[in-house]
Amino acid sequence: MNISLRRMFAQPNTKEYHWVNDFLALLTIISIVSLVLETVPSLVAYSTVFIIIEWIAVVFFSIEYVGRLLTSKPKISYVFSFFGIIDLVSILPTILGLGNFTFLKSARALRIIRMLRMFRLAKMSRSKMITDENVSVLSLTIIIYFATLLSALLMTGTLMYLVEGGQSVFNSIPAGMWWSLKVFMAGVPVVEPTTALGEFFFVLTRFIGLLLLGLLIGVVGNVFKTVVIGKR
């Protein structure tokens, strides 16, 4: 049993490891989409479907947590690691029946960033200008940036939905995410929060937008650097 668990959770060179992590990545995306859509007022009729998806996700995430815990040496290193805490936080609200802890469940969006490094990059056609290795690194960098952007949108959008939900602008997580995107872009007029906590998160969202802009500049710089190196 321990050998099988290690092949699934601790040995990246095995096919079982890739199968498990590809499945968990897909399940993560599905659970996030479900979490976001269940806050849309017009989709309240599908609440049962969203509940089923949530519990299926939590069951598999719980199995994953136990599997990673058993294969970690020392085990405490996983428990108190960043992603170990995220894994636990993303399942506890549902298990404990804390349905109103939507923000904690939305933290599972950060799992996407970890899953990205576990993806097998698709085979790319060779180019005389850019090597396969450069293309793979560049592609992964771009994907990680957009995953980070999506995670930031989800986290800030969820915060504004929970804090400013009384306004029509924040009546759902997708609405909050759209507001956050406009804040990230800077210069685009947005509806300002009406609560003190909302004002704090507004400033925090602006700050995150600046960080993402700096990250984007770095990504664009890597693109040009890769192209120039490839031409030489």
Side-chain angles (χ1 to χ4, degrees):
M1 177 63 73
N2 288 336
I3 295 177
S4 298
L5 285 176
R6 283 198 296 271
R7 290 178 65 85
M8 289 189 291
F9 297 108
Q11 297 180 358
N13 60 330
T14 64
K15 60 183 179 181
E16 291 90 343
Y17 182 91
H18 291 299
W19 287 345
V20 168
N21 284 284
D22 285 352
F23 169 74
L24 289 173
L26 178 61
L27 187 61
T28 297
I29 294 173
I30 293 174
S31 67
I32 291 172
V33 172
S34 174
L35 176 65
V36 169
L37 293 181
E38 73 176 347
T39 64
V40 178
S42 61
L43 298 179
V44 67
Y46 300 96
S47 58
T48 302
V49 176
F50 297 139
I51 292 174
I52 292 173
I53 292 174
E54 173 67 16
W55 275 104
I56 290 175
V58 167
V59 167
F60 281 104
F61 290 157
S62 299
I63 293 173
E64 178 205 12
Y65 184 84
V66 173
R68 294 192 186 280
L69 181 62
L70 292 176
T71 55
S72 296
K73 293 182 180 180
K75 293 179 174 54
I76 199 71
S77 64
Y78 171 68
V79 173
F80 290 103
S81 67
F82 175 75
F83 285 113
I85 294 173
I86 291 299
D87 290 345
L88 184 61
V89 165
S90 65
I91 61 178
L92 273 184
T94 301
I95 293 177
L96 299 178
L98 303 176
N100 58 329
F101 277 46
T102 306
F103 175 71
L104 293 181
K105 290 191 289 184
S106 70
R108 70 181 55 154
L110 297 175
R111 290 169 51 92
I112 296 177
I113 300 175
R114 180 181 67 183
M115 294 299 178
L116 283 174
R117 79 169 185 263
M118 301 174 182
F119 274 147
R120 289 165 295 173
L121 295 175
K123 292 183 178 180
M124 301 180 180
S125 58
R126 292 182 177 275
S127 169
K128 294 181 180 179
M129 296 178 60
I130 304 176
T131 64
D132 285 344
E133 182 180 358
N134 284 336
V135 172
S136 297
V137 172
L138 179 59
S139 300
L140 186 57
T141 300
I142 294 173
I143 293 172
I144 288 177
Y145 171 77
F146 281 105
T148 303
L149 173 62
L150 177 62
S151 298
L153 285 173
L154 179 60
M155 300 294 284
T156 56
T158 301
L159 280 171
M160 296 308 295
Y161 162 71
L162 294 175
V163 174
E164 297 283 332
Q167 294 192 61
S168 59
V169 177
F170 306 104
N171 67 344
S172 67
I173 292 180
M177 292 174 66
W178 179 247
W179 177 87
S180 294
L181 179 60
K182 291 191 289 185
V183 173
F184 288 166
M185 294 176 67
V188 179
V190 295
V191 175
E192 294 195 9
T194 57
T195 65
L197 193 56
E199 288 285 349
F200 171 77
F201 289 132
F202 179 30
V203 174
L204 179 63
T205 304
R206 286 282 193 196
F207 179 71
I208 293 174
L210 291 175
L211 293 179
L212 289 171
L213 176 61
L215 182 59
L216 178 60
I217 292 173
V219 171
V220 173
N222 285 334
V223 171
F224 284 108
K225 182 179 178 180
T226 302
V227 171
V228 170
I229 293 176
K231 287 183 176 180
R232 291 178 177 177

